[in-house]
Amino acid sequence: MPGGHRVSSDVRVFGIRHHGPGSARSVRRALEAFTPDAVLIEGPADADPLIALTAADAMEPPVALLAYATGEPRTAAFWPFAVFSPEWQALSWSAEHGVDVRFCDLPAAHTLAAESAESDRTDPLAQLAAAAGYDDPERWWDAVIESGTGADSFDAITEAMSVLRNATDLDEETRRREAYMRQTLRKAIKGGAQRVAVICGAWHAPALSGPLGPATADARILKGLPKIKTSLTWVPWTHSRLSTASGYGAGITSPGWYHHLFTAGDRTIPRWLTKVARVLRAEDLPVSSAHVIEAVRLADTLAAMRSRPLAGLSEVTEATRAVMCDGNDVLLDLITRRLVVGEALGGVPDDTPTVPLDADLRARAKTLRLKQQATEKTLDLDLRKDIDVTRSRLLHRLQLLGVGWGVPADSEINATGTFRETWSLTWKPELAVAIIEASLWGTTVEAAATAKVRAEASAEDVSLAQLTALLEQALLSNLTDALPELLRALDTAAALDHDVMHLMDALPSLTRTLRYGDVRGTDISSLARVNDSLLVRICAGLGSALSGLDDDSAIEMRRAIDGVHAAVMLRDEDRASKRWLGALAGLVDRSDVNGLVIGRMVRLLRDAGAISETDSATRLSRALSVGATPSAKAGWVDGFLGGGGLLLVHDRELLRLLDTWVSGLGEQDFVDTLPLLRRTFGAFDTGERQAIGQSVQGGNRSEAAAPIDPRRAAVAIRTVADILGVPS
């Protein structure tokens, strides 16, 4: 007689652990022996119309039921299933045998409508594990169930849960769920089912076992429950989202391990450690068959020492660390991420109910050969190829819609210019909700992105910088229908905005838009006029904007000046370059401007060839020799040198001036100045610091300097050499 607590002669309740391979095997065996004509499974009852899809060939766990409030997709919930989930095995068995199967838990329409009350989060398995002497409930379940011999344990688990429930006050949510489960069971019996199997979480099993009691009591509990209109569908899921780290309440710590336990069949431990060896060999680590054999022996020995029937995850992990990773926890973490947790992505049939936007995205991704996968993939695009341009536009449109399937990344290909883009693609299950949220903008990706751009451009509080960023995104997405409205809004905003910093922040995006427009074949010639207008107003207002800057404001101004300068140089248009450099040249002699900004402008003029090397050296010498405090002089140096030390490597006169000034600082002045200088030189590349250190080694000491104490000097020299990265 198979296990399962009897309600009557023809109803049996199988209390399981969600996502437990041992439970999954036991459920399948129990169903084979019991041969019910109706199966009830814990899950939202309003998902019953979707059950038929579980039998489709294209349905591949892990997958999840997604329920969301119709018209308000941010209100959503997931019910995940893996191949080793007992509920999934019950669904599969029912489909294979043509048995009526239904979900019996509270419908999502009620669950999503209920206010988020704090339910009882006490883990009953943790209490049982503690009683058995385990500090980790995962290890306890692994020992008792997952690595066991397959002995039936449903009755024992139900009895244990009954004891725990008697000492626990059930929360209102649990009472409602169990009342609905009992009502569903009554309905199945009344509908003529002769042999009913109920698969539910072990905690709920006692509530469905024994006499069900009068239906009126449960009806009172369920009366007046809030309800909203919901939509449900299946979505792909991942093993990592089954883990407790993902925030899923019924999660597990080792989905990859559990998948192996369910699918490996015999020789579970040797097969697992062979997988470990493959992962380590893929990282070019010397792992041989001897390592695998020794790790298997150690895992079995640890299990015997602990009186366990078979080695579990803890024994296998210890054997992996000791034998195959040589105690290296970094390698062990790699094994945990790749195998113990894993990153398998499921799939759903094409005819799964979905919003039109999702169907359009799937079709376009298939056409462009972009595969949704859970592991990160780097995609290098050559924008001179039609397919890559179309891929780029799709990914940019999805970014506009808040669907972060792809994010821009740094390329490992040595190439310059605007013809190349690199993306990092990772499909995450929660993107299904993002797509549903974005569907309110339109039924296709292009239409939705266009509608969203238009809406954001017409917002009352949209800033000039936001408009320029939006225009750049629209260009990259090739949303030609939205460009006229964006340009009009941009022209108006630029005319009304009198804040020079706002204008400076807006110019780089506009310039990139001008530059990339030619590459992508988009006509945006009208932007040149807006760009020129912004630059004229920036140059006219920059002088006033520089007055009275404190140190924090000066840092922001330097950033803005760098951005405008880079944009002007990128555009490479003679009139614009002359106007900008002329504006900088007219301001560098002012004495009322923060030295950080003046030093930066001198450096930019020198790099652009607008002032000579001799002139820039003279200005540095003047800034370091008169008037201001040492910290103000250090700010000038930071502005002049910030961002790269290559100038000091090649210009020995500048290096001599700087070295002389630092050498002449008094003790307190040096202490006050050191943090600023450290910030400046700390931003240099290691090679630049080494070259500078080698240049100043052996320099002449001032005749007026105090006598050197060789012992103290040796300590100082070693310290400076360590900082600069040169041999002492």
Side-chain angles (χ1 to χ4, degrees):
M1 182 71 66
H5 204 85
R6 294 177 182 271
V7 175
S8 65
S9 59
D10 60 355
V11 177
R12 298 183 186 180
V13 179
F14 302 102
I16 50 89
R17 181 175 190 243
H18 301 293
H19 314 309
S23 290
R25 281 192 296 268
S26 296
V27 160
R28 194 157 187 110
R29 285 196 299 267
L31 292 175
E32 290 285 357
F34 182 41
T35 61
D37 53 12
V39 176
L40 303 182
I41 299 173
E42 182 180 330
D46 42 2
D48 282 351
L50 299 174
I51 289 178
L53 288 170
T54 61
D57 293 338
M59 182 69 83
E60 181 181 354
V63 293
L65 282 170
L66 164 62
Y68 60 93
T70 306
E72 187 58 41
R74 290 180 181 272
T75 303
F78 295 95
W79 286 262
F81 300 90
V83 70
F84 51 81
S85 300
E87 302 92 332
W88 184 262
Q89 288 303 314
L91 287 168
S92 299
W93 183 90
S94 300
E96 293 167 8
H97 293 80
V99 173
D100 180 43
V101 58
R102 306 172 217 167
F103 289 118
C104 62
D105 204 349
L106 203 64
H110 294 304
T111 303
L112 296 180
E115 296 182 2
S116 55
E118 286 293 328
S119 59
D120 184 5
R121 295 299 179 187
T122 301
D123 183 2
L125 298 180
Q127 299 180 46
L128 293 179
Y134 286 81
D135 57 358
D136 179 4
E138 289 283 352
R139 284 191 59 202
W140 172 81
W141 190 274
D142 190 51
V144 174
I145 304 296
E146 310 305 349
S147 297
T149 60
D152 199 315
S153 57
F154 291 117
D155 290 329
I157 291 295
T158 299
E159 184 177 352
M161 292 298 108
S162 297
V163 174
L164 290 177
R165 286 169 62 98
N166 289 336
T168 304
D169 292 329
L170 299 180
D171 60 88
E172 190 63 26
E173 179 188 359
T174 300
R175 294 180 184 276
R176 289 172 177 172
R177 291 178 60 194
E178 292 175 350
Y180 196 91
M181 291 181 192
R182 286 190 293 268
Q183 292 285 59
T184 306
L185 179 54
R186 292 186 183 101
K187 184 177 179 181
I189 296 173
K190 186 176 180 181
Q194 298 298 310
R195 302 167 67 83
V196 183
V198 181
I199 289 86
C200 63
W203 181 248
H204 303 296
L208 305 177
S209 302
L212 292 177
T216 53
D218 288 334
R220 282 195 298 270
I221 294 175
L222 297 172
K223 185 177 180 180
L225 284 182
K227 184 177 182 180
I228 60 174
K229 185 177 181 180
T230 56
S231 302
L232 291 94
T233 187
W234 288 104
V235 295
W237 205 249
T238 64
H239 275 170
S240 65
R241 290 303 188 276
L242 288 170
S243 69
T244 51
S246 71
Y248 166 54
I252 53 176
T253 59
S254 50
W257 166 253
Y258 277 6
H259 180 84
H260 175 77
L261 284 180
F262 187 76
T263 58
D266 60 346
R267 300 182 58 79
T268 304
I269 304 305
R271 292 178 188 274
W272 173 263
L273 291 170
T274 301
K275 290 182 179 180
V276 172
R278 289 196 191 103
V279 170
L280 295 175
R281 287 169 186 163
E283 299 297 324
D284 294 327
L285 295 170
V287 178
S288 67
S289 300
H291 287 88
V292 176
I293 294 170
E294 186 58 33
V296 171
R297 288 174 178 168
L298 179 56
D300 289 341
T301 301
L302 289 171
M305 292 174 60
R306 295 167 181 172
S307 301
R308 301 188 60 180
L310 293 172
L313 180 59
S314 58
E315 287 76 25
V316 171
T317 300
E318 290 179 44
T320 299
R321 176 190 283 112
V323 178
M324 306 180 79
C325 296
D326 291 326
N328 189 327
D329 284 337
V330 174
L331 294 181
L332 189 66
D333 180 66
L334 173 69
I335 299 302
T336 300
R337 287 185 286 108
R338 296 272 184 88
L339 291 181
V340 178
V341 175
E343 200 55 271
L345 176 68
V348 299
D350 291 338
D351 56 349
T352 301
T354 185
V355 293
L357 180 64
D358 187 33
D360 179 65
L361 174 56
R362 290 188 195 179
R364 294 187 181 280
K366 186 175 182 179
T367 300
L368 297 174
R369 300 194 295 275
L370 293 175
K371 184 179 180 181
Q372 296 176 353
Q373 58 185 47
T375 53
E376 183 178 355
K377 178 184 178 181
T378 299
L379 182 68
D380 287 300
L381 302 179
D382 184 344
L383 301 182
R384 292 167 295 188
K385 299 178 180 178
D386 290 343
I387 188 172
D388 282 356
V389 169
T390 309
R391 287 170 171 171
S392 171
R393 290 170 177 170
L394 176 63
L395 294 172
H396 280 293
R397 289 169 182 174
L398 291 176
Q399 277 204 316
L400 271 170
L401 292 171
V403 181
W405 180 11
V407 294
D410 294 328
S411 176
E412 296 182 358
I413 298 176
N414 295 324
T416 59
T418 57
F419 288 104
R420 185 167 297 282
E421 267 186 5
T422 300
W423 293 80
S424 175
L425 303 183
T426 309
W427 187 263
K428 300 176 181 178
E430 53 266 31
L431 293 179
V433 175
I435 292 172
I436 295 170
E437 290 177 351
S439 66
L440 66 90
W441 297 108
T443 57
T444 68
V445 176
E446 181 178 4
T450 299
K452 187 175 183 183
V453 166
R454 284 173 168 166
E456 292 186 1
S458 62
E460 291 184 3
D461 58 347
V462 65
S463 68
L464 178 61
Q466 288 173 326
L467 279 172
T468 54
L470 200 58
L471 179 62
E472 184 178 13
Q473 289 179 301
L475 169 71
L476 296 172
S477 304
N478 195 38
L479 302 177
T480 53
D481 290 345
L483 289 179
E485 295 175 38
L486 267 175
L487 290 172
R488 284 194 296 270
L490 180 65
D491 203 5
T492 302
L496 296 177
D497 198 327
H498 302 290
D499 189 312
V500 173
M501 282 292 286
H502 290 174
L503 302 178
M504 296 175 76
D505 286 339
L507 190 70
S509 290
L510 272 182
T511 304
R512 287 194 298 268
T513 302
L514 276 172
R515 174 73 178 261
Y516 296 157
D518 294 336
V519 174
R520 295 167 181 270
T522 306
D523 182 13
I524 50 168
S525 55
S526 57
L527 266 188
R529 178 180 57 80
V530 180
N531 194 289
D532 288 338
S533 174
L534 281 184
L535 185 59
V536 169
R537 295 175 60 198
I538 289 170
C539 292
L542 186 58
S544 300
L546 295 182
S547 300
L549 296 177
D550 58 20
D551 289 343
D552 290 338
S553 299
I555 292 174
E556 282 299 301
M557 179 56 72
R558 179 177 69 171
R559 176 196 59 76
I561 289 174
D562 282 346
V564 172
H565 184 79
V568 171
M569 296 299 105
L570 176 68
R571 187 179 176 189
D572 195 21
E573 200 271 328
D574 286 343
R575 287 185 302 170
S577 298
K578 289 178 180 178
R579 179 177 289 118
W580 171 246
L581 295 175
L584 293 183
L587 296 170
V588 292
D589 292 320
R590 283 178 49 172
S591 59
D592 63 332
V593 179
N594 192 294
L596 182 75
V597 177
I598 294 295
R600 194 57 174 175
M601 292 194 296
V602 170
R603 173 64 182 275
L604 295 177
L605 289 169
R606 182 189 190 277
D607 290 348
I611 62 175
S612 66
E613 296 181 4
T614 301
D615 189 9
S616 63
T618 301
R619 291 176 183 275
L620 174 61
S621 178
R622 187 189 310 148
L624 296 179
S625 61
V626 295
T629 63
S631 60
K633 295 175 182 179
W636 203 102
V637 171
D638 188 26
F640 185 72
L641 296 177
L646 200 59
L647 184 62
L648 292 180
V649 175
H650 296 293
D651 194 327
R652 295 302 178 90
E653 177 60 20
L654 289 179
L655 181 58
R656 186 191 65 78
L657 289 171
L658 191 61
D659 186 38
T660 301
W661 172 64
V662 174
S663 300
L665 289 172
E667 181 176 351
Q668 188 57 48
D669 286 342
F670 179 77
V671 171
D672 294 340
T673 305
L674 182 60
L676 288 172
L677 293 176
R678 183 182 181 87
R679 181 180 68 185
T680 303
F681 282 82
F684 296 169
D685 291 338
T686 302
E688 293 173 345
R689 294 201 302 270
Q690 290 177 342
I692 293 170
Q694 291 168 354
S695 297
V696 298
Q697 275 185 330
N700 292 328
R701 183 172 60 90
S702 171
E703 294 297 331
I708 292 177
D709 181 336
R711 182 182 59 81
R712 296 176 64 191
V715 176
I717 289 172
R718 284 197 300 271
T719 302
V720 171
D722 289 341
I723 293 173
L724 295 175
V726 297
S728 59

